[in-house]
Amino acid sequence: MEEISSYKIKLNRKLETKDIIKIHELALKSNFSIYVYRESSIADAENLPKLLSFFFFASKNHSLVMIIDGQHAEKGYHQIKSLLRNTIKGEWRVTHKIQSDISVAI
């Protein structure tokens, strides 16, 4: 079942380039999409140049939102957290599950 989850993330330190590349590689080989959002910027983790520039301007004590979309979105967050070890502190915000037999009109 498709899910979309968002997490409020606080960085314990600025991410190094190798950490950003780990997120990028996970996004490329996983079955979910990863996006990071802060103020008026958003970056798709599959786009390495945008992801690098997004984190280049992210300071240690500011929060950002990580959005994970796809199957088993929660597992994706735990994979990212384990890749980065003690670098991020996350707080679950919301998860939505898409059901194939229900339509949504906006």
Side-chain angles (χ1 to χ4, degrees):
M1 180 181 304
E2 294 287 319
E3 299 175 0
I4 185 166
S5 294
S6 67
Y7 300 87
K8 183 177 180 182
I9 303 292
K10 184 141 184 155
L11 299 174
N12 295 328
R13 64 174 173 79
K14 283 191 78 96
L15 291 183
E16 297 177 13
T17 303
K18 66 180 181 179
D19 297 323
I20 298 167
I21 291 172
K22 287 178 187 178
I23 296 170
H24 170 69
E25 289 174 345
L26 177 63
L28 289 176
K29 64 182 178 182
S30 67
N31 62 346
F32 45 81
S33 299
I34 304 166
Y35 306 94
V36 285
Y37 171 77
R38 180 190 66 250
E39 296 167 9
S40 61
S41 352
I42 190 164
D44 181 347
E46 290 186 16
N47 186 326
L48 186 57
K50 287 189 179 189
L51 191 63
L52 285 166
S53 64
F54 179 90
F55 281 110
F56 180 72
F57 293 107
S59 66
K60 174 181 137 183
N61 294 320
H62 288 96
S63 62
L64 55 103
V65 174
M66 180 176 290
I67 301 163
I68 303 174
D69 177 26
Q71 292 185 348
H72 311 293
E74 187 177 332
K75 287 182 183 179
Y77 171 72
H78 292 296
Q79 288 178 331
I80 292 168
K81 194 169 179 178
S82 70
L83 279 176
L84 300 179
R85 296 193 178 91
N86 297 322
T87 305
I88 64 171
K89 180 180 180 184
E91 174 185 317
W92 171 79
R93 292 181 44 185
V94 68
T95 297
H96 296 284
K97 294 185 181 194
I98 299 170
Q99 298 176 357
S100 60
D101 58 340
I102 297 175
S103 62
V104 177
I106 298 177

